[in-house]
Structure formats: structure tokens, C-alpha cells
Coordinates of all heavy atoms in Angstrom, one line a residue:
E941 N 7.6 -2.7 10.2 CA 6.4 -2.0 9.7 C 6.3 -0.5 10.2 O 6.9 -0.2 11.2 CB 5.1 -2.7 10.1 CG 4.9 -4.0 9.4 CD 3.5 -4.6 9.7 OE1 3.0 -4.3 10.8 OE2 2.9 -5.2 8.8
V942 N 5.6 0.3 9.4 CA 5.3 1.6 9.9 C 3.8 1.7 10.0 O 3.0 1.1 9.2 CB 5.9 2.7 9.0 CG1 7.4 2.8 9.1 CG2 5.4 2.6 7.6
Q943 N 3.3 2.5 10.9 CA 1.9 2.9 11.0 C 1.8 4.3 10.3 O 2.6 5.2 10.6 CB 1.4 3.0 12.4 CG 0.0 3.5 12.6 CD -0.3 3.8 14.0 OE1 0.1 4.9 14.5 NE2 -0.9 2.9 14.8
I944 N 0.9 4.4 9.4 CA 0.7 5.6 8.6 C -0.7 6.2 8.9 O -1.7 5.5 8.8 CB 0.8 5.4 7.1 CG1 2.2 4.8 6.7 CG2 0.6 6.6 6.3 CD1 2.3 4.3 5.3
K945 N -0.7 7.5 9.3 CA -2.0 8.2 9.4 C -2.3 8.7 8.0 O -1.6 9.6 7.4 CB -1.9 9.4 10.3 CG -3.2 10.1 10.6 CD -3.1 11.3 11.5 CE -4.5 11.8 11.9 NZ -5.3 12.1 10.7
V946 N -3.3 8.2 7.4 CA -3.6 8.4 6.0 C -4.1 9.8 5.8 O -5.1 10.3 6.5 CB -4.7 7.4 5.5 CG1 -5.1 7.7 4.1 CG2 -4.1 6.0 5.6
S947 N -3.6 10.5 4.9 CA -4.1 11.9 4.5 C -4.9 11.8 3.2 O -6.0 12.4 3.1 CB -2.9 12.8 4.2 OG -2.1 13.0 5.3
A948 N -4.5 10.9 2.3 CA -5.2 10.7 1.0 C -5.0 9.3 0.5 O -3.9 8.8 0.7 CB -4.8 11.8 0.0
A949 N -6.0 8.8 -0.3 CA -5.9 7.5 -0.9 C -6.6 7.5 -2.2 O -7.8 7.9 -2.2 CB -6.5 6.4 0.1
A950 N -6.0 7.0 -3.2 CA -6.6 7.0 -4.6 C -7.4 5.8 -4.7 O -7.1 4.7 -4.2 CB -5.5 7.1 -5.7
V951 N -8.5 5.9 -5.5 CA -9.4 4.8 -5.8 C -8.9 4.2 -7.2 O -8.8 4.9 -8.2 CB -10.8 5.3 -5.9 CG1 -11.8 4.1 -6.2 CG2 -11.2 6.0 -4.6
N952 N -8.8 2.9 -7.2 CA -8.3 2.2 -8.4 C -9.3 1.0 -8.7 O -9.8 0.4 -7.8 CB -6.9 1.6 -8.2 CG -5.9 2.7 -8.1 OD1 -5.7 3.5 -9.0 ND2 -5.3 2.9 -6.9
P953 N -9.4 0.6 -10.0 CA -10.2 -0.6 -10.3 C -9.8 -1.8 -9.6 O -10.6 -2.7 -9.4 CB -10.1 -0.7 -11.8 CG -9.8 0.7 -12.3 CD -8.9 1.3 -11.2
I954 N -8.5 -2.0 -9.3 CA -8.1 -3.2 -8.6 C -8.8 -3.4 -7.3 O -9.0 -4.5 -6.8 CB -6.5 -3.1 -8.4 CG1 -6.0 -4.5 -7.9 CG2 -6.1 -2.0 -7.4 CD1 -4.5 -4.5 -7.8
D955 N -9.2 -2.3 -6.7 CA -9.9 -2.4 -5.4 C -11.2 -3.2 -5.5 O -11.5 -4.0 -4.7 CB -10.2 -1.0 -4.8 CG -8.9 -0.3 -4.5 OD1 -8.1 -0.8 -3.7 OD2 -8.6 0.8 -5.1
W956 N -12.1 -2.8 -6.4 CA -13.3 -3.5 -6.5 C -13.2 -4.9 -7.1 O -13.9 -5.8 -6.9 CB -14.4 -2.7 -7.3 CG -14.1 -2.0 -8.5 CD1 -13.7 -0.7 -8.7 CD2 -14.2 -2.5 -9.8 NE1 -13.5 -0.4 -10.0 CE2 -13.8 -1.5 -10.7 CE3 -14.5 -3.8 -10.4 CZ2 -13.8 -1.7 -12.1 CZ3 -14.5 -4.0 -11.7 CH2 -14.1 -2.9 -12.6
K957 N -12.1 -5.1 -7.9 CA -11.8 -6.4 -8.4 C -11.4 -7.3 -7.3 O -11.8 -8.5 -7.2 CB -10.7 -6.4 -9.5 CG -11.2 -5.7 -10.8 CD -10.0 -5.6 -11.8 CE -10.5 -4.9 -13.0 NZ -9.4 -4.7 -14.0
L958 N -10.6 -6.8 -6.4 CA -10.2 -7.5 -5.2 C -11.4 -7.9 -4.3 O -11.5 -9.0 -3.9 CB -9.1 -6.8 -4.4 CG -8.5 -7.5 -3.2 CD1 -7.1 -7.0 -2.9 CD2 -9.3 -7.3 -1.9
A959 N -12.3 -6.9 -4.1 CA -13.5 -7.1 -3.3 C -14.3 -8.3 -3.9 O -15.0 -9.0 -3.1 CB -14.3 -5.9 -3.2
A960 N -14.3 -8.4 -5.2 CA -15.1 -9.5 -5.8 C -14.4 -10.8 -5.8 O -15.0 -11.9 -6.1 CB -15.3 -9.1 -7.3
G961 N -13.1 -10.8 -5.3 CA -12.4 -12.1 -5.2 C -11.5 -12.4 -6.4 O -10.9 -13.5 -6.4
A962 N -11.3 -11.5 -7.3 CA -10.5 -11.7 -8.5 C -9.1 -11.9 -8.3 O -8.4 -12.6 -9.1 CB -10.7 -10.6 -9.5
L963 N -8.5 -11.4 -7.2 CA -7.1 -11.5 -6.9 C -6.7 -12.6 -5.9 O -5.6 -12.8 -5.5 CB -6.6 -10.2 -6.4 CG -6.8 -9.0 -7.3 CD1 -6.1 -7.7 -6.7 CD2 -6.2 -9.2 -8.7
A964 N -7.7 -13.3 -5.4 CA -7.5 -14.3 -4.4 C -7.0 -15.6 -5.0 O -7.7 -16.2 -5.8 CB -8.7 -14.6 -3.6
P965 N -5.8 -16.1 -4.6 CA -5.4 -17.4 -5.1 C -6.4 -18.5 -4.6 O -6.9 -18.4 -3.5 CB -4.0 -17.6 -4.4 CG -3.6 -16.3 -4.0 CD -4.9 -15.5 -3.7
P966 N -6.6 -19.5 -5.5 CA -7.6 -20.6 -5.1 C -7.2 -21.2 -3.8 O -6.0 -21.6 -3.5 CB -7.5 -21.6 -6.2 CG -7.0 -20.8 -7.4 CD -6.1 -19.7 -6.8
G967 N -8.1 -21.3 -2.9 CA -7.9 -22.0 -1.6 C -7.1 -21.1 -0.6 O -6.8 -21.6 0.5
A968 N -6.9 -19.8 -0.9 CA -6.1 -19.0 0.0 C -7.0 -18.6 1.2 O -8.2 -18.5 1.2 CB -5.8 -17.7 -0.7
D969 N -6.3 -18.5 2.3 CA -6.9 -18.1 3.6 C -6.8 -16.6 3.7 O -5.8 -16.1 4.3 CB -6.2 -18.9 4.8 CG -6.9 -18.6 6.1 OD1 -8.1 -18.1 6.1 OD2 -6.3 -18.8 7.2
F970 N -7.7 -15.9 3.1 CA -7.6 -14.4 3.0 C -7.9 -13.8 4.4 O -8.7 -14.3 5.2 CB -8.6 -13.9 2.0 CG -8.0 -12.8 1.2 CD1 -7.2 -13.1 0.1 CD2 -8.3 -11.5 1.4 CE1 -6.7 -12.1 -0.7 CE2 -7.8 -10.5 0.6 CZ -7.0 -10.8 -0.4
P971 N -7.1 -12.7 4.8 CA -7.2 -12.2 6.1 C -8.4 -11.2 6.3 O -8.3 -10.0 6.1 CB -5.9 -11.4 6.2 CG -5.5 -11.0 4.8 CD -6.1 -12.1 3.9
F972 N -9.6 -11.7 6.6 CA -10.7 -10.9 6.9 C -10.8 -10.5 8.3 O -10.3 -11.3 9.2 CB -12.0 -11.6 6.4 CG -12.1 -11.8 4.9 CD1 -12.0 -13.1 4.5 CD2 -12.3 -10.8 4.1 CE1 -12.1 -13.4 3.1 CE2 -12.3 -11.0 2.7 CZ -12.3 -12.3 2.2
P973 N -11.4 -9.4 8.7 CA -11.9 -8.3 7.8 C -10.8 -7.6 7.1 O -9.7 -7.5 7.6 CB -12.6 -7.3 8.8 CG -11.9 -7.6 10.1 CD -11.5 -9.0 10.1
Y974 N -11.1 -7.2 5.9 CA -10.1 -6.7 4.9 C -10.4 -5.3 4.5 O -11.5 -5.0 4.0 CB -10.1 -7.6 3.7 CG -8.9 -7.3 2.8 CD1 -7.7 -8.1 3.0 CD2 -8.9 -6.4 1.8 CE1 -6.6 -7.9 2.2 CE2 -7.8 -6.2 1.0 CZ -6.7 -6.9 1.2 OH -5.6 -6.7 0.4
T975 N -9.5 -4.3 4.8 CA -9.7 -2.9 4.4 C -9.1 -2.7 3.0 O -7.9 -3.1 2.7 CB -9.0 -2.0 5.4 OG1 -9.6 -2.2 6.7 CG2 -9.1 -0.5 5.0
L976 N -9.9 -2.2 2.1 CA -9.4 -2.0 0.7 C -8.5 -0.7 0.6 O -8.4 0.0 1.6 CB -10.7 -1.8 -0.2 CG -11.7 -2.9 -0.2 CD1 -12.9 -2.6 -1.0 CD2 -11.0 -4.2 -0.8
G977 N -7.9 -0.5 -0.5 CA -7.1 0.7 -0.8 C -5.7 0.3 -1.0 O -5.1 -0.3 -0.1

């Protein structure tokens, strides 16, 4: 892995869909707390 000092990050509809749980497989143990982007 690399650690990246973020300069800029684009906002995409997938981010709020993910926040709503739309991308989570049923029964998945999602890694919270979760940073979007």
C-alpha cells in the first residue's frame, strides 16, 4: 500500500449510494468507520 496526502477528490453519485448501503453485499461485515470518496 501507499499513503496518499490528498490534494483533490471528486464527488460522484456512487458515494451517496454507498452511504445508503446500495453497494454492500448482503450479510457483509463492512469496515466501519468508513471514509467516503
